[in-house]
Amino acid sequence: MAHKIAIIVGSLRKDSINRKVARSICALRGDNLDCSMIEIGDLPLYNQDLDHSPPQQWVRFREQIAGADGVLFVSPEYNRGIPGVLKNAIDIGSRPYGKSVFDKKPAAIVTASPGSIGGFGSNHQIRQAAVFLNMPVMQQPEAYLGHISEDSFDESGCLKDGPVKDIITNLAHAFHDWVDMILRSRQLLAEDSAHRSQQKEHA
Ligand SMILES: Cc1cc2nc3c(=O)[nH]c(=O)nc-3n(C[C@H](O)[C@H](O)[C@H](O)COP(=O)(O)O)c2cc1C
């Protein structure tokens, strides 16, 4: 069964390598990951004063995340951390307090960089935020994609055959299984709880 995946790319750059990696993931697993790229470049900066009357871009973003089965973050690293535009989106989705649209959504994180450590710092800052957001984050495989450049992609903008494509293929399979496992276990728990309530009523 295809799961609805909201992909949040932490770069607004037209020729972003991270956006191309995200597109490659969708192309590789289109049969069981129903991917949507979620726009974050138009989100007004988070300001708690606006929570009582949120901008329509915030409302749209929150609805898109709420409607997804899982969230895939694909991001560059800026100055060893999360790009501001992505942090802004995370903050917007996390509020108002108690109404976070990220709560309990299974997640995976991919970072890509021309540098050698593949956005490790950014990857782990996203992971840290996801812990606070109560998102079950897939632990393995990790994806710190280093030495990524224009040459890593073919004319269609997808990853060329090679080790990076292999990592991403494994990750896409694993993420489908991760989302599947979490959704199924929740369903089983809900069924079990309904069954127990029925038993109590009849006791
Ligand atoms: C403001 C800024 C800060 C950056 N800091 C880092 C960094 O800390 N680590 C890194 O590997 N690359 C860094 N880079 C280089 C980015 O990895 C590179 O520009 C990459 O292509 C950005 O991702 P994108 O192609 O998806 O936009 C930085 C780039 C910018 C513009």
Side-chain angles (χ1 to χ4, degrees):
M1 173 185 148
H3 295 308
K4 285 180 75 177
I5 304 300
I7 303 190
I8 307 182
V9 176
S11 170
L12 306 182
R13 201 167 74 85
K14 182 169 55 71
D15 295 322
S16 160
I17 55 172
N18 283 277
R19 190 170 297 276
K20 288 180 184 167
V21 167
R23 271 202 227 109
S24 304
I25 295 171
C26 303
L28 285 167
R29 297 306 300 161
D31 51 340
N32 61 12
L33 295 179
D34 174 8
C35 299
S36 306
M37 300 270 191
I38 308 298
E39 180 61 48
I40 61 171
D42 63 339
L43 296 174
L45 283 179
Y46 181 70
N47 176 347
Q48 206 172 346
D49 291 340
L50 304 183
D51 268 345
H52 63 278
S53 174
Q56 53 89 10
Q57 297 95 329
W58 292 10
V59 175
R60 184 263 312 155
F61 174 75
R62 288 170 176 161
E63 284 173 357
Q64 286 175 316
I65 302 297
D69 296 319
V71 179
L72 175 63
F73 296 97
V74 186
S75 181
E77 174 176 83
Y78 279 1
N79 301 307
R80 295 284 179 259
I82 307 184
V85 69
L86 175 57
K87 186 60 168 60
N88 184 49
I90 289 173
D91 294 342
I92 289 165
S94 74
R95 291 282 158 153
Y97 183 75
K99 294 196 173 158
S100 167
V101 289
F102 292 118
D103 188 49
K104 298 189 180 73
K105 297 268 178 208
I109 303 163
V110 176
T111 47
S113 167
S116 56
I117 59 173
F120 178 90
S122 170
N123 194 302
H124 277 262
Q125 283 193 358
I126 299 167
R127 202 168 282 268
Q128 188 179 346
V131 170
F132 185 66
L133 294 170
N134 196 30
M135 303 179 87
V137 182
M138 186 171 74
Q139 305 297 306
Q140 295 290 340
E142 294 163 286
Y144 317 110
L145 309 178
H147 304 293
I148 306 297
S149 68
E150 285 303 321
D151 284 348
S152 309
F153 304 94
D154 61 23
E155 313 79 60
S156 72
C158 283
L159 282 162
K160 290 177 183 167
D161 289 343
V164 178
K165 186 169 171 180
D166 293 344
I167 293 171
I168 283 306
T169 306
N170 284 340
L171 180 133
H173 279 274
F175 190 43
H176 170 266
D177 292 350
W178 180 249
V179 176
D180 212 45
M181 182 183 76
I182 288 163
L183 297 185
R184 276 170 197 259
S185 21
R186 268 194 208 134
Q187 194 183 340
L188 285 174
L189 284 170
E191 283 170 10
D192 189 48
S193 159
H195 182 62
R196 278 167 202 271
S197 305
Q198 269 181 354
Q199 278 182 329
K200 266 191 198 159
E201 275 171 30
H202 296 302

